[in-house]
Structure formats: structure tokens, C-alpha cells
Amino acid sequence: MSFVEYGDTIKDGDTAIVFLGHESMFPVKVQHGTVTQTKYGVIRHSTDLIGKKYGSKVTCSKGGWVFILHPTPELWTMNLPHRTQILYSTDISIITMMLELKPGSIVCESGTGSGSLSHALIRTVAPTGHLYTVEFHQQRAEKAREEFREHGVEHLVTVTNQDVCKNGFGVSNIADAVFLDIPSPWEAIGHAKSALKVEGGRMCSFSPCIEQVQRTCLAMEEYGFTEINTLEILLRVYNVRTISLQIPDLGKAAENNSSTGFDSSSPADQGSLCANLQQGAVQFKSGVPLREVVGHTGYLTFATKS
């Protein structure tokens, strides 16, 4: 199993996604002799998972069933264990496009965090590219190395435990792109410039506060970066629902009401009117925005090494 190469069957040691529904799924490490509890009952790895094809429908001990999915960076972003705040697909998609990443690209990243963006970057630059990711926190760096090894992508990534603001990325003049997700990105702009290839490399900085963006832009200008621009990506989700709307009254009903002296203040007449209008309703499917929407996540500042 690898996050960048699809495997047909589930093997011992794989990371798989147990899919109970669009709003309910979780990762599981497949191990011989292990069981996983779900609300539909027990899944026995030895008999229910190992040797079965990814995408299979597995019946649990209580009679309910789940699907077992092959892991992807998108599914991992939705289900990974959170060690830090993470980037989601909305920001990840624009980052990979604006940094002009492709198979064979060399990318430097700091900090690694929970590895959400890291897995997407690895999949994008595979099979001949490489990710150099720097994490200040030692335990998080070690956990990231362990996950990359379990996910079959350790040959595509190098994890370094150091302070990027003081020690840089450990590489010089080879990176096609640099990504920064640290509290003070302006302190690492010089190291980012050193890591980028001689000319034309792209960099991106993610910051939740506009004050951080201002200081980062000033540092980018100081180090000679061009094409500096900042984006904020907002996601608006719609639910598909059945909507009921009244057929418009083009005047006939209004004339009848006025001729009969209809008094809208009468409860009996109001009920009669509502019943008549309900008979003239039409139902159809429509997209309805959520009442509560996740707003600001962070600002993405892009620049080019001239």
C-alpha cells in the first residue's frame, strides 16, 4: 500500500479508510489478529479485511456494513490524527497550482505539522520529485517520519528536525518551490531564497493574521522577490434539498378576494387562504447554503524569485 500508488488488495500492515458514511469515516492500520469496533459491530482484520479488494463492502458483526477504501491524500486530510492545525483541500488545491508543482518537482516545506499538506505535495511530485520538510518540534518530526514510512512514501520525503528560521532547509539552489506555515515566516524568507533554484522558483506563505502577511511581504520585497500577491480562499458549501414554493398568483385570486370582501385578519379566512395556496405549491430540488459556514482560515501569499 502506498499513498501514491494504488493497490488492489488489502494487505497486513496497510492503512485503510473505514467508510461508514460521508460524514463518518476513520483510518485503521490493518493487522493480523486485530479487531476494530464500529457502531455496526466488529470488523475482524484477519477474515474481513486482509486479502479483500479495496472498495469492498464489509459486513460487521451486528449485521451493518461499511466500505473499506484505499487511502488518498484527500481522505487522509479528512481523517488524520491532529497534532496541529492543518490545511484542508480548499487551500491545498490552490497551493499546488500556484506553486506550479508537477511530477519531478523539488519542494521545501516548513513546518510539517500533522502532514496534511505534505501527503498532497508528495503525491503531486511523485514518482521522481522530492519533498524536504522541516519540523521544529522533535516529537512531531519523529511521528511524521513514522507515518511516511507506514504510508510507503519515505523515499519521496526527507524530514528534518530543526528551526528553519535559524538553520534553513538544509538544501541550496535546488527547490522549485518553498512553502512556509510558521508563526514568523518573514524570518525564513532569506533561507527560502537560498533553497530555491537560481531563477524562477516560487514560494508561498500561509498566515492566519494580516499583520503576519504585511511583515512577510516587506521581507519578500527586501530579498528581491517579485509577483507578490495575497489570496484568501473561502469555501461555501450547499446542501441539495427539496424546496416547496407557491405558484405565483397573477391577479385572479386577488380580484376574487376584493370582490368577496375577504378580511385577512380573520383566522378562519387565513387558514382557508393557506390551504388554497398549499394546493398551488410546486416542489423541486435546489441547492441551499449552510446556515453556519466556516469562514477565514488563512492568507496565502505567493511570490517569485527573480
Side-chain angles (χ1 to χ4, degrees):
M1 183 278 304
S2 171
F3 271 54
V4 298
E5 297 176 358
Y6 183 78
D8 190 48
T9 58
I10 305 171
K11 299 180 178 63
D12 189 14
D14 282 3
T15 297
I17 305 297
V18 179
F19 180 89
L20 292 83
H22 289 291
E23 302 297 329
S24 179
M25 61 184 94
F26 59 90
V28 62
K29 184 174 181 179
V30 179
Q31 292 179 312
H32 185 77
T34 303
V35 298
T36 297
Q37 296 282 349
T38 74
K39 63 181 180 180
Y40 300 125
V42 173
I43 301 174
R44 295 175 175 83
H45 294 200
S46 301
T47 57
D48 297 333
L49 299 183
I50 297 176
K52 300 291 182 64
K53 287 188 175 183
Y54 278 106
S56 297
K57 183 178 178 179
V58 174
T59 302
C60 304
S61 61
K62 293 182 180 179
W65 46 266
V66 299
F67 288 104
I68 308 300
L69 305 182
H70 192 283
T72 64
E74 292 81 7
L75 289 174
W76 187 244
T77 292
M78 297 170 63
N79 295 282
L80 58 78
H82 285 234
R83 299 183 289 274
T84 60
Q85 291 285 350
I86 69 169
L87 291 179
Y88 290 91
S89 298
T90 308
D91 290 313
I92 292 173
S93 59
I94 198 71
I95 290 169
T96 54
M97 184 187 77
M98 294 294 288
L99 290 182
E100 302 173 3
L101 302 182
K102 59 186 181 299
S105 295
I106 306 297
V107 186
C108 292
E109 174 199 27
S110 183
T112 312
S114 301
S116 173
L117 176 64
S118 303
H119 282 80
L121 294 177
I122 291 169
R123 196 263 306 273
T124 302
V125 304
T128 57
H130 201 83
L131 171 66
Y132 294 89
T133 182
V134 178
E135 173 57 51
F136 174 79
H137 193 273
Q138 182 179 356
Q139 285 73 26
R140 288 201 292 263
E142 292 173 353
K143 186 61 179 178
R145 289 194 193 97
E146 179 184 343
E147 285 182 349
F148 293 142
R149 184 170 57 255
E150 291 178 352
H151 299 165
V153 297
E154 71 275 10
H155 61 292
L156 297 170
V157 56
T158 299
V159 182
T160 305
N161 172 220
Q162 64 187 27
D163 186 350
V164 70
C165 296
K166 295 180 179 179
N167 306 114
F169 294 93
V171 297
S172 299
N173 300 325
I174 66 170
D176 297 289
V178 170
F179 177 80
L180 297 175
D181 183 5
I182 54 178
S184 53
W186 56 89
E187 296 180 1
I189 301 300
H191 294 297
K193 183 177 181 180
S194 299
L196 286 168
K197 58 188 180 181
V198 176
E199 186 177 0
R202 295 276 288 167
M203 76 164 296
C204 174
S205 173
F206 176 91
S207 297
C209 302
I210 196 64
E211 293 81 6
Q212 294 171 304
V213 174
Q214 292 170 335
R215 296 189 65 174
T216 302
C217 289
L218 291 174
M220 287 177 173
E221 289 182 345
E222 180 182 347
Y223 281 95
F225 282 88
T226 60
E227 298 179 334
I228 302 172
N229 63 90
T230 299
L231 308 176
E232 182 184 19
I233 312 302
L234 300 178
L235 178 66
R236 191 176 189 187
V237 180
Y238 282 76
N239 281 342
V240 177
R241 296 179 181 175
T242 300
I243 302 298
S244 179
L245 292 180
Q246 309 301 331
I247 297 176
D249 184 354
L250 301 180
K252 183 176 180 180
E255 294 177 0
N256 293 338
N257 290 341
S258 60
S259 63
T260 57
F262 177 74
D263 182 6
S264 60
S265 61
S266 169
D269 290 338
Q270 286 181 356
S272 175
L273 178 60
C274 290
N276 291 335
L277 290 177
Q278 190 65 31
Q279 293 176 359
V282 59
Q283 291 187 335
F284 59 93
K285 295 289 186 180
S286 179
V288 179
L290 301 180
R291 293 184 177 181
E292 294 183 1
V293 180
V294 176
H296 173 74
T297 58
Y299 301 102
L300 295 170
T301 301
F302 295 91
T304 303
K305 182 178 178 180
S306 61

